[in-house]
């Protein structure tokens, strides 16, 4: 089993989010991660296709809409607008938002189903078992909690089903999948998720149903319209539909002509099985290439339970952004939680981390240096030479490569820590060298050497953190005299691309500097959250 060769473009996708309710912090988390990776790839000069969207079919959506007195499509339309508003608020610059109720998607699903049908991998049989409507998945007895509750939606009881369904021959792909995992260990990341999949597949794969009866909110099975295509068989194909150009006929050939296959799928660990087992087997059956990597991130938890609407412990991301700002939100969730493992949100830690790293560390270092230069050196970049063994330059050399490696492996916390090493050293260095005293002693050249090294370190830090905190990085760059907006959705400008800007010495002598302004306002806990 071989994966596709390297291509000049980069395509990535979030999950297609279920629209049973408005988005919460668990939806925002993987989306800001995907956005950071898309921004990083754009800075490297690569054309990027960043996909997100909504999974709108299934019994859960139908029941939710009915409970609210809405028609399913009306309900989906309302919730989708909520997702789009949140993505705008979080500075998510996606390229495609796919909705699985789109007619073009219907054409893709129909063609894909027909391919798999003609390959002999779909058959009619009887399905019996416990079904979680929230997961839209049959569960085995060993997966259930006491009182027959879902292990993911712990406050939901599963339902017994005994119905005629069409099945996909997943069992036929046991050996092919095992060979894929062995030959391409990078296909499932991180390692902990790969091991989970290997354990599941090692127990033996069972065929899974790809149709449902007794409800009609979905696409009809092409060969038997009284059946509705199973929501996951439908939704997984949304990733492919999203790659169609607006003027293209909706065919699998067109959808896979430029951007496909995906370089990266970012999904929650609770849907890992669908993306790392079911989907690749479906693609093999249909004769389509496989994605290069499926990355299963961890849960955000509170009191040991996954945050979510169904658990009643969700946090409103809009409220957090309005209280603390979008860059603080993005920074905490990507730096404060190891992407791939479960993480706990604590508002006090959120405030302390952002203040220490971004306000007191990053922003303060810039403001002190700019203030001294405006007061003593005419507000322009000093004309100095910094030796290669300078302590700050020694750390900066190779920093871009180390941070790029971290981004490539989705180790956002590592990328941030690498950059913070330089910022912390910069603060230590300026305190030890005391350029204010050097100015007073008439040692202007020495003072300017200190300040150039510090400002160049801040510039490099801002550049390397731009995928995570684009607004803050933009303010830093603009105060340093650059006409750059890192929040530009179409940022593919080789003048500010890797590897050039990730190297030492970009600040030019006599370059005009703006007067210092705060680039990150210090955060305060609301009174009710204070200890």
């Amino acid at each position: 089993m071989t994966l596709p060769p390297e291509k000049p473009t980069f395509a990535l996708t979030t999950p297609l989010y279920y629209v049973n309710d408005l988005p919460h912090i668990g939806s925002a988390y993987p989306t800001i991660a995907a956005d950071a990776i898309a921004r990083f790839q754009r800075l490297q000069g690569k054309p990027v296709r960043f996909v997100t969207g909504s999974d709108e079919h299934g019994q859960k959506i139908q029941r939710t809409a009915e409970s609210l007195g809405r028609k399913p499509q009306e309900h989906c339309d309302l919730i989708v607008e909520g997702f789009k508003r949140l993505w705008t608020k979080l500075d998510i610059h996606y390229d495609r938002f796919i909705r699985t109720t789109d007619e073009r998607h219907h054409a893709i699903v129909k063609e894909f189903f027909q391919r798999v049908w003609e390959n002999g991998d779909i058959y009619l049989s009887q399905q019996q078992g416990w079904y979680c409507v929230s997961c839209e998945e049959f569960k085995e007895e060993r997966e259930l909690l006491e009182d027959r509750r879902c292990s993911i939606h712990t406050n939901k009881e599963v339902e017994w089903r005994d119905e005629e369904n069409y099945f996909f021959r997943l069992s036929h792909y046991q050996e092919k999948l095992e060979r894929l995992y062995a030959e391409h260990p990078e296909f499932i990341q991180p390692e902990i998720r790969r091991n989970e999949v290997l354990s599941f597949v090692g127990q033996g794969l069972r065929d899974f149903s790809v149709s449902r009866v007794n409800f009609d909110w979905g696409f009809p099975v092409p060969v038997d319209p009284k059946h509705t295509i199973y929501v996951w068989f439908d939704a997984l194909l949304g990733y492919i539909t999203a790659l169609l150009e607006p003027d293209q006929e909706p065919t699998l050939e067109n959808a896979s002509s430029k951007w496909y296959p995906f370089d990266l799928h970012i999904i929650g660990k609770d849907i890992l099985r669908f993306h790392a087992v079911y989907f690749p087997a479906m693609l093999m059956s249909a004769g389509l290439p496989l994605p290069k990597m499926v990355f299963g991130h961890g849960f955000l938890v509170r009191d040991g339970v996954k945050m979510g609407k169904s658990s009643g412990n969700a946090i409103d991301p809009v409220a957090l952004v309005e209280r603390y700002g979008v860059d603080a939100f993005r920074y905490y969730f990507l730096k404060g939680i190891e992407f791939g493992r479960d993480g706990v949100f604590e508002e006090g830690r959120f405030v302390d981390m952002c203040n220490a790293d971004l306000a007191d560390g990053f922003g303060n270092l810039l403001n002190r240096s700019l203030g001294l230069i405006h007061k003593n050196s005419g507000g322009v970049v000093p004309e100095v030479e910094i030796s290669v063994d300078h302590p700050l330059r020694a750390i900066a050399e190779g920093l871009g490569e180390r941070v790029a490696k971290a981004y490539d492996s989705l180790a956002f916390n590592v990328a941030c820590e690498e950059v913070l090493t330089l910022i912390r050293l910069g603060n230590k260095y300026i305190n030890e060298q005391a350029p204010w005293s050097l100015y007073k002693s008439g040692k202007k050249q020495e003072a300017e050497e200190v300040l150039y090294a510090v400002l160049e370190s801040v510039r490099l830090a801002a550049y390397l953190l731009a995928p995570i905190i684009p607004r803050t990085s933009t303010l830093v760059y603009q105060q340093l005299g650059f006409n750059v907006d890192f929040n530009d959705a179409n940022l593919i400008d080789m003048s500010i691309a890797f590897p050039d800007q990730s190297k030492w010495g970009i600040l030019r002598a006599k370059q005009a500097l703006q007067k210092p302004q705060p680039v990150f306002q210090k955060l305060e806990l609301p009174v009710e959250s204070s200890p």
Side-chain angles (χ1 to χ4, degrees), residues 372 376-377 429-451:
L372 285 168
N376 301 283
S377 297
Y429 177 74
I430 197 172
N431 288 335
E432 290 175 347
Q433 299 299 314
W436 48 89
S437 297
L438 293 174
Y439 276 122
K440 287 180 180 179
S441 303
K443 299 177 180 178
K444 183 179 179 182
Q445 179 75 9
E446 292 181 33
E448 289 181 342
E449 288 178 5
V450 172
L451 293 173

Side-chain angles (χ1 to χ4, degrees), residues 306-354:
K306 174 191 175 186
M307 285 188 187
K309 294 284 186 179
S310 61
S311 301
N313 64 353
I315 293 175
D316 181 10
V318 174
L320 272 183
V321 171
E322 290 179 347
R323 182 179 300 160
Y324 298 119
V326 61
D327 274 9
F329 183 98
R330 292 169 65 103
Y331 184 78
Y332 175 82
F333 283 103
L334 295 182
K335 192 262 185 178
I337 298 171
E338 181 182 347
F339 198 67
R341 295 191 176 273
D342 292 351
V344 179
F345 173 77
E346 296 174 351
E347 196 163 358
R349 180 170 177 259
F350 177 108
V351 168
D352 290 345
M353 179 182 296
C354 291

Side-chain angles (χ1 to χ4, degrees), residues 287-299:
L288 289 172
L290 308 186
K292 293 182 180 178
M293 182 190 293
V294 177
F295 193 102
H297 67 81
F299 290 156

